[in-house]
Amino acid sequence: KPVQELLRKANKLIKTYIEKNWEDWSKIDKNTYIKNIFFYITSEIKLNMLDNMNINTDLVYYNIFQDIEIGKKISVQSYKHDQSLHRIWEEATVISEDDDVIIVGNKKTKVIEANGRFWHTKEPSVTFFFKHHWFNVIGIIKPEGISYYCNLSSPVLTDEEALKYIDYDLDIKVSDDYSYHLLDQNEYNRHKIQMHYPKDLAEILESEFKVLESMVNSKTFPFQEVEVKRWYQTFLKIKAS
C-alpha cells in the first residue's frame, strides 16, 4: 500500500480506538499504545520513525487531536536514519496546518549543524512539511524569483518540542525556471550501506521521487510562485501582529 495511506490509517486507528474506549483510555499506557500503532504501520517498511526521531509519543497523541496553533514559533529538527541529530532550524512560524501539510515561514533563521557550527538563512522562505509524503519542500524567495529546495525525507511528525523528520540524503534543487537537479546521490549511497537502509526504503524513496518530479513538471502545489508569495505574506502579517 502507498505509505501515505498507511500513515493515514495509523491516525484513524488511534482516533477510532479512543472514541470507542474513552472511559478506559486513562488506564492505558498511551506511549506504548501509540508506538505500537505506528510500529505496526511502519513495520511494512521496517522503520520505527518515532524512535529514530526521539519523538515523545504522548505528545504525538496530543497533536493528533489538537491542531498546531497558527503563529506558534517552533524549531525544526532533522535526524538521520541512525537516530543522530542532523540539523536544527532554531525558529519557524507556523502559518497553516491541515490533514496533509504543515506550512511554516522564516526569515534569517539560525541553523545549527550536528557538529555545533551554525549559520543564518540568507533569503526568506516558506516550507511545506508533508504528513503523508516522503519529502518536504522549501520555497526560497529571491529577487529574481522563487526557487525550491526539496528534501527526500520521512513524513513530518510533531511533538511539543519541534517539527521532526528523518533526512534521507537525496535533495532536488529546482530553479525559478523549473529546471531541476538531483543532488547528494553519493551521500545517499554511502549512508545506505553505513546505516543499513532497508530495501523497502529505497523503493519508497524512488516512488516518492517520481511523485515529487511530477509535481515540479506540472507546477502543482506547492510549486507555484503565487502560493509561495501568498503564504509568505501571511507569515509577515503574523509576525507583525
Side-chain angles (χ1 to χ4, degrees):
K1 297 179 181 179
V3 70
Q4 53 265 42
E5 291 304 319
L6 293 175
L7 293 170
R8 287 192 179 100
K9 184 178 179 182
N11 285 357
K12 186 176 180 180
L13 282 171
I14 295 169
K15 288 183 179 181
T16 300
Y17 181 89
I18 294 174
E19 287 169 0
K20 290 182 178 180
N21 301 276
W22 184 255
E23 292 181 1
D24 295 331
W25 182 247
S26 61
K27 303 175 185 178
I28 293 172
D29 181 345
K30 294 185 286 295
N31 284 3
T32 299
Y33 177 77
I34 293 172
K35 186 167 287 191
N36 285 344
I37 287 289
F38 274 89
F39 182 77
Y40 162 71
I41 294 302
T42 59
S43 64
E44 296 193 21
I45 55 171
K46 302 179 180 65
L47 294 175
N48 191 331
M49 287 165 45
L50 298 178
D51 282 345
N52 283 15
M53 287 185 279
N54 191 28
I55 285 282
N56 182 329
T57 47
D58 203 35
L59 291 169
V60 171
Y61 152 76
Y62 176 81
N63 280 293
I64 287 171
F65 296 95
Q66 299 290 330
D67 293 334
I68 302 176
E69 180 184 355
I70 302 304
K72 180 177 181 176
K73 295 179 181 178
I74 192 168
S75 69
V76 178
Q77 296 179 3
S78 169
Y79 291 81
K80 285 297 185 181
H81 186 76
D82 64 357
Q83 303 185 27
S84 61
L85 186 62
H86 173 51
R87 185 173 290 141
I88 298 173
W89 287 259
E90 197 168 67
E91 182 180 293
T93 301
V94 178
I95 53 181
S96 180
E97 182 194 17
D98 59 27
D99 290 341
D100 296 312
V101 64
I102 300 171
I103 306 175
V104 305
N106 65 51
K107 184 178 182 181
K108 295 183 179 178
T109 295
K110 184 178 180 180
V111 182
I112 306 169
E113 302 289 348
N115 60 11
R117 294 181 180 178
F118 64 88
W119 49 280
H120 290 81
T121 57
K122 295 180 180 179
E123 296 94 2
S125 65
V126 174
T127 304
F128 304 84
F129 291 102
F130 291 92
K131 298 179 180 180
H132 310 296
H133 280 298
W134 287 68
F135 52 76
N136 58 64
V137 177
I138 306 170
I140 304 168
I141 302 165
K142 300 179 179 181
E144 61 270 24
I146 308 295
S147 62
Y148 302 88
Y149 200 90
C150 315
N151 299 290
L152 273 292
S153 69
S154 71
V156 70
L157 288 176
T158 311
D159 64 12
E160 193 175 64
E161 183 182 30
L163 301 179
K164 299 182 178 183
Y165 67 91
I166 303 171
D167 179 273
Y168 281 111
D169 314 313
L170 296 170
D171 302 315
I172 301 175
K173 186 176 182 180
V174 184
S175 301
D176 55 1
D177 63 357
Y178 289 91
S179 61
Y180 57 90
H181 304 281
L182 180 63
L183 307 174
D184 299 329
Q185 294 180 72
N186 289 337
E187 181 182 356
Y188 172 77
N189 290 330
R190 184 173 69 253
H191 285 165
K192 179 171 63 175
I193 296 170
Q194 291 177 348
M195 300 183 186
H196 307 290
Y197 289 0
K199 179 182 177 181
D200 291 350
L201 176 62
E203 295 173 357
I204 289 167
L205 295 177
E206 182 179 351
S207 174
E208 290 290 281
F209 171 77
K210 291 178 181 178
V211 172
L212 189 56
E213 190 176 39
S214 175
M215 292 166 73
V216 173
N217 288 329
S218 60
K219 300 180 183 178
T220 55
F221 177 88
F223 297 98
Q224 297 168 328
E225 183 172 336
V226 64
E227 281 292 300
V228 175
K229 288 184 175 179
R230 178 171 72 88
W231 286 116
Y232 184 63
Q233 289 303 312
T234 300
F235 164 70
L236 292 179
K237 289 177 183 178
I238 290 172
K239 291 283 284 184
S241 63

